[in-house]
Amino acid sequence: GQVEGVLLLRGTVNVEGAIYARVGAEEVQLTALAKTAAGEVTIPAGISLDGMKYRVVAIGAQNEKGLFGSGAIAEMAQSITSVTLPSTLRTVWYGALALPTLTEIKVNGGTSFRSIGGALYSGDGKVLVQYPFGMDASGRFDMPGHVQTVASGAFGYVGADGTVKAAHLSVISLGGALEYFGVRERGYGYSHNAETRKNTAQELGLLVLLQSGVQKFVLAGDGEVLSKDETVLYLVRNRLQTDVTEYTIGADVTTIADYAFVTAPNLTSLSFAGTVEAFEALVENSGSLWASGLK
């Protein structure tokens, strides 16, 4: 990772037990906290190496090929309760803060991120980036009304080491402005394009499979969970209902989320209110796991 004291691109360096990888001319990404990290952890705004100073602009795991992507930066740490992010940070990769004992995420200035009630949001408050899995809550989380996007893994993350989740949650109240659920950071922000939605497992249905403690998702009424414009079907029911055997997909639905049918496991009759052509387009636009849960 170094040549004559120069840290190469994607090359790594150990600073006080933490691992950093170079991502720019004077920029590094924190890929792993020190194994001894515990309690309240503050991520520095920069590091010094051989007379050079580097800003910490990202956090997220790095695989054996040197590529950045999903993964916790603390290897399933069991004792980290609080993480403070630096003002220099502009990227938080999927699952970077998937720590089971984390009760609070703080932000030390900057414009890319903000902390509200201990949870992490984008600077403009439109993206819920991470809900601390160990937060001592009442069992219910009410999403702020300004949230338009929930990042993939915000409530539960599956990594190579297993599943990490907010196990105490029983009700998640979705904000009225919510448009996208399960969008991943790609190293340049949370993309809202159709390709990203198609390739990303929808978190609502995934949580039903992984986290049986979440019994209800509140949006409007007790029926299905749709996007605000009613074009994305997230769940056929907002809670697990085994007595539902029939369901009709609305004609305005253009995308079916992965695992949308897991809340009605005994569904035997499925119909679509639109045309055959519209249904073919609907299937084409939906992810590969859209039919999961159907018999």
Side-chain angles (χ1 to χ4, degrees):
Q2 289 182 260
V3 177
E4 297 181 354
V6 178
L7 185 62
L8 301 179
L9 189 65
R10 297 187 184 271
T12 60
V13 61
N14 186 313
V15 178
E16 298 180 351
I19 307 299
Y20 298 87
R22 185 176 179 181
V23 294
E26 299 177 346
E27 300 175 335
V28 292
Q29 174 171 317
L30 173 64
T31 63
L33 289 170
K35 294 183 178 180
T36 56
E40 298 183 0
V41 174
T42 297
I43 296 175
I47 63 171
S48 296
L49 179 65
D50 297 325
M52 287 286 294
K53 293 183 177 181
Y54 296 91
R55 296 187 304 276
V56 178
V57 299
I59 61 173
Q62 184 180 28
N63 65 22
E64 63 278 0
K65 296 181 180 179
L67 301 177
F68 303 121
S70 61
I73 59 172
E75 298 181 349
M76 308 283 282
Q78 298 295 321
S79 57
I80 296 176
T81 57
S82 173
V83 172
T84 299
L85 306 179
S87 60
T88 53
L89 201 68
R90 62 172 183 258
T91 298
V92 175
W93 288 86
Y94 167 62
L97 294 172
L99 311 177
T101 57
L102 191 63
T103 61
E104 183 181 29
I105 303 171
K106 302 177 183 179
V107 179
N108 190 18
T111 59
S112 296
F113 299 97
R114 62 190 293 196
S115 177
I116 303 175
L120 183 64
Y121 298 80
S122 58
D124 59 9
K126 294 180 179 180
V127 181
L128 171 61
V129 178
Q130 186 67 63
Y131 176 86
F133 294 160
M135 183 179 284
D136 184 16
S138 62
R140 176 182 177 124
F141 175 71
D142 292 296
M143 194 177 299
H146 49 72
V147 174
Q148 297 178 2
T149 300
V150 173
S152 188
F155 293 107
Y157 170 70
V158 182
D161 297 324
T163 301
V164 189
K165 58 191 178 182
H168 62 275
L169 283 178
S170 57
V171 176
I172 299 176
S173 177
L174 308 177
L178 185 66
E179 296 182 28
Y180 305 100
F181 204 108
V183 177
R184 293 192 179 188
E185 164 67 79
R186 302 294 186 183
Y188 46 80
Y190 293 93
S191 173
H192 294 173
N193 60 50
E195 182 181 357
T196 298
R197 297 202 305 276
K198 181 177 179 180
N199 294 334
T200 303
Q202 300 295 336
E203 304 297 313
L204 284 173
L206 194 59
L207 281 173
V208 174
L209 294 177
L210 301 178
Q211 188 167 309
S212 58
V214 176
Q215 297 297 325
K216 184 176 183 181
F217 301 93
V218 180
L219 188 57
D222 292 324
E224 63 270 282
V225 178
L226 298 161
S227 61
K228 184 175 64 175
D229 61 5
E230 299 187 355
T231 62
V232 181
L233 173 64
Y234 288 121
L235 291 172
V236 299
R237 287 293 182 271
N238 75 343
R239 70 178 77 192
L240 190 65
Q241 293 186 336
T242 58
D243 58 339
V244 176
T245 58
E246 299 180 355
Y247 181 75
T248 299
I249 302 170
D252 294 331
V253 174
T254 60
T255 304
I256 304 174
D258 290 346
Y259 311 111
F261 301 100
V262 297
T263 50
N266 292 323
L267 200 66
T268 56
S269 176
L270 179 66
S271 57
F272 178 59
T275 65
V276 173
E277 292 77 10
F279 182 75
E280 291 175 348
L282 170 63
V283 173
E284 177 64 25
N285 190 48
S286 302
S288 60
L289 300 176
W290 74 271
S292 297
L294 289 176
K295 288 187 174 181

